[in-house]
Amino acid sequence: MTISSDRSPAVDKQTSRTYEVRTYGCQMNVHDSERLSGLLEDAGYVRAPEGSDGEADVVVFNTCAVRENADNKLYGNLGHLAPKKASRPGMQIAVGGCLAQKDRDTIVKRAPWVDVVFGTHNIGKLPVLLERARVQEEAQVEIAESLEEFPSTLPTRRESAYAAWVSISVGCNNTCTFCIVPALRGKEKDRRPGDILAEIEALVGEGVSEITLLGQNVNAYGSDIGDREAFSKLLRACGRIDGLERVRFTSPHPRDFTDDVIAAMAETPNVMPQLHMPLQSGSDPVLKAMRRSYRQERFLGIIEKVRAAIPHAAISTDIIVGFPGETEEDFEQTLHVVREARFAQAFTFQYSKRPGTPAAEMDGQIPKKVVQERYERLVALQEEISWEENKKQVGRTLELMVAEGEGRKDDTTHRLSGRAPDSRLAHFTKPDQEVRPGDVVTVEITYAAPHHLLAEGAVVDVRRTRAGDAWEKRNAEKAGKPAPAGVLLGLPKIGVPEPLPVATSGCALD
């Protein structure tokens, strides 16, 4: 493996070579892919058109190692590209992310047509490695064992003009038996608060009105810098940033979720009434086997405190069904917590072996048929609860931040879509006046389904925002049109904005 400190652009500025980044896994990977895109564009590459399907000059796979068949999926995709690469001299393929960190030299042995393999700790080296592979005409494998620089110092190509991820930490100090992330992302490393706030202020200056604080264990922030209340202080500091309308974060861990964080959420107006709190299991014996450092009573106590402080909070969770050794009684305890907590949404997973984790070697692996049956029962219960909780929104007047691409049927129904403060998705009747992604509309909810709300009447109010201006300016630049008069935002010359994905955990954020 080669090690280099070369920070110069990998290629001369050019307009002909195109790139495509394919992302798998959690929000951390999504955010890393924004950095990879920014690095490539800074080095002169141009993003390939949508739907190019491997026709770009450089195809980058940002991988995830969470699922048992993650490597099969990667090698299947690499195999699909092999004949295209053989017929197109100069095409390059790069593999990064968690699976690259884990498998290292295995990738080029199984897929010798891959040009570059890089790890989670050295994404900033991608342009240099691509150029080195081109010049030397041999694969470059570079896996750093520890973080070389915090990703947020790298160039970025944000996918949204109005919403942005902001990393506050990387790595995780927990040792959950089902999770391989600490081995691939390393121990927790925190950014300095001043650097985080400076980045947020710069984003707001560009027109961003919503940020999501991001970390493997976001509310453990401060453990690396010696301040147990650093996360709650950070939330309050976000509340003092003029122009920042919405603050979210993902994902916390029940072990580190303290009363000062709840107070900061309740007392800081722009911190949204939304919480993603991974449960994983409601059974104390299973939680112990998972090496989760809380039990059912502690988890439900957190939910109770949050609801007391923030009555309208929407709480979501992650649940794993069929963890090794899980009995029917254990599973019933999970159902009990779901009934008590009344989650607005749950991301449910059937346990799958994650190579390299202790759980993969445990006795008591549950038969697939049993896991499937339990999973279906859990989903049915959560669907019922989600619908009941959404019905409580009918008749309420909500402010929605207009989103782009959230409503798959918006074109045929002549509706637009947006996110409520608690992140519920709502579709609303398109008003006569222009409404742009990033603008805010006020609507009255008239109907609820398990996974969305409807506002079928006329829009009560439309508030044009700087975020909407930012979206309009970026799209005008993309189309080569003059920017709207009066928009004086120093925006990057890159990107087609899309909404941030709904918070899910998957691997890194649980």
Side-chain angles (χ1 to χ4, degrees):
M1 282 173 258
T2 57
I3 301 295
S4 170
S5 59
D6 187 357
R7 291 298 310 277
S8 62
V11 294
D12 293 333
K13 295 291 181 180
Q14 52 189 301
T15 58
S16 58
R17 286 181 64 76
T18 58
Y19 77 90
E20 173 190 355
V21 178
R22 300 186 185 183
T23 309
Y24 306 95
C26 65
Q27 294 97 324
M28 190 64 74
N29 272 16
V30 173
H31 190 41
D32 283 349
S33 288
E34 291 184 330
R35 303 295 175 189
L36 293 171
S37 296
L39 284 159
L40 291 170
E41 295 196 0
D42 194 53
Y45 295 88
V46 177
R47 191 174 193 174
E50 293 293 329
S52 59
D53 191 26
E55 296 299 327
D57 297 304
V58 173
V59 179
V60 183
F61 291 89
N62 190 8
T63 64
C64 173
V66 164
R67 296 298 170 192
E68 188 175 12
N69 64 348
D71 55 347
N72 293 333
K73 185 172 185 179
L74 170 66
Y75 293 115
N77 286 322
L78 291 175
H80 175 71
L81 288 183
K84 294 187 177 183
K85 188 173 189 294
S87 65
R88 295 180 57 210
M91 180 182 178
Q92 291 182 296
I93 300 172
V95 179
C98 288
L99 193 62
Q101 187 79 22
K102 182 173 76 74
D103 286 356
R104 304 175 182 236
D105 295 304
T106 303
I107 292 174
V108 292
K109 290 178 181 177
R110 292 186 61 177
W113 55 93
V114 169
D115 298 276
V116 171
V117 178
F118 61 100
T120 58
H121 299 307
N122 61 330
I123 64 174
K125 295 292 181 61
L126 176 61
V128 172
L129 294 171
L130 286 168
E131 179 66 1
R132 192 188 300 158
R134 185 186 67 81
V135 171
Q136 298 181 6
E137 296 184 342
E138 64 179 9
Q140 300 294 309
V141 179
E142 185 169 316
I143 307 292
E145 300 300 336
S146 60
L147 190 68
E148 295 183 346
E149 61 184 325
F150 207 91
S152 290
T153 65
L154 301 172
T156 185
R157 182 196 193 281
R158 287 190 295 108
E159 292 298 322
S160 172
Y162 52 89
W165 305 107
V166 176
S167 289
I168 69 171
S169 65
V170 294
C172 182
N173 294 334
N174 293 317
T175 58
C176 301
T177 55
F178 56 80
C179 185
I180 199 170
V181 168
L184 303 179
R185 293 274 183 178
K187 293 292 185 180
E188 180 177 327
K189 185 174 179 60
D190 297 334
R191 291 178 73 190
R192 292 171 53 189
D195 293 340
I196 297 169
L197 295 172
E199 181 182 352
I200 295 172
E201 288 172 351
L203 289 167
V204 172
E206 294 174 355
V208 168
S209 61
E210 176 179 316
I211 61 104
T212 300
L213 303 175
L214 187 63
Q216 257 89 27
N217 181 5
V218 71
N219 63 313
Y221 176 74
S223 62
D224 183 48
I225 58 179
D227 185 353
R228 293 178 60 85
E229 295 188 354
F231 185 61
S232 62
K233 293 175 182 176
L234 182 62
L235 291 178
R236 293 182 186 277
C238 288
R240 296 190 288 270
I241 297 177
D242 187 39
L244 180 59
E245 296 195 17
R246 294 186 173 191
V247 178
R248 306 185 191 277
F249 58 88
T250 192
S251 277
H253 189 292
R255 183 193 70 178
D256 303 298
F257 202 78
T258 49
D259 291 349
D260 62 296
V261 174
I262 297 174
M265 291 178 64
E267 296 165 11
T268 309
N270 64 354
V271 176
M272 293 295 95
Q274 172 207 355
L275 177 63
H276 185 74
M277 181 62 70
L279 168 66
Q280 307 303 5
S281 174
S283 162
D284 287 354
V286 173
L287 288 171
K288 182 178 180 180
M290 289 179 167
R291 237 181 260 159
R292 303 286 284 183
S293 52
Y294 56 90
R295 299 296 179 259
Q296 181 187 118
E297 183 179 2
R298 159 76 171 151
F299 185 92
L300 288 174
I302 292 172
I303 302 301
E304 183 178 358
K305 287 181 179 180
V306 171
R307 290 248 163 81
I310 315 168
H312 290 300
I315 301 174
S316 56
T317 195
D318 297 328
I319 300 173
I320 296 172
V321 179
F323 187 81
E326 180 187 74
T327 65
E328 178 62 24
E329 182 180 354
D330 292 325
F331 178 67
E332 286 292 341
Q333 288 300 306
T334 295
L335 297 181
H336 169 72
V337 175
V338 170
R339 294 187 187 99
E340 291 293 310
R342 299 196 64 79
F343 300 113
Q345 188 176 15
F347 300 93
T348 52
F349 306 91
Q350 296 186 37
Y351 172 77
S352 67
K353 290 184 179 180
R354 305 180 182 191
T357 63
E361 307 301 325
M362 285 182 176
D363 295 332
Q365 301 288 329
I366 310 299
K368 170 66 177 177
K369 182 178 179 180
V370 175
V371 176
Q372 181 68 33
E373 188 272 336
R374 290 176 182 171
Y375 177 81
E376 291 173 359
R377 285 159 57 196
L378 172 62
V379 169
L381 174 62
Q382 182 57 51
E383 288 278 302
E384 178 184 339
I385 292 173
S386 294
W387 199 359
E388 290 172 356
E389 292 301 306
N390 274 0
K391 286 177 181 177
K392 295 178 182 178
Q393 307 299 309
V394 174
R396 291 189 65 195
T397 299
L398 301 177
E399 279 196 340
L400 308 179
M401 181 175 289
V402 181
E404 183 177 39
E406 294 263 27
R408 289 175 294 178
K409 299 180 180 179
D410 283 353
D411 289 340
T412 56
T413 59
H414 303 291
R415 293 180 178 133
L416 298 176
S417 299
R419 291 278 173 183
D422 64 9
S423 199
R424 283 184 167 93
L425 176 66
H427 308 297
F428 61 95
T429 302
K430 188 175 182 179
D432 294 333
Q433 67 190 99
E434 180 189 23
V435 179
R436 307 160 302 176
D439 287 339
V440 175
V441 299
T442 303
V443 301
E444 181 178 338
I445 301 303
T446 58
Y447 175 81
H451 302 293
H452 68 269
L453 306 172
L454 283 182
E456 298 165 298
V459 169
V460 177
D461 182 61
V462 175
R463 176 164 61 87
R464 292 173 68 87
T465 66
R466 293 173 66 252
D469 293 342
W471 180 89
E472 187 173 0
K473 182 176 187 291
R474 185 182 284 190
N475 278 264
E477 289 176 345
K478 181 195 175 190
K481 300 176 182 177
V487 180
L488 302 175
L489 302 176
L491 289 172
K493 297 179 181 178
I494 51 177
V496 179
E498 295 179 3
L500 293 178
V502 178
T504 62
S505 67
C507 64
L509 306 177
D510 52 9

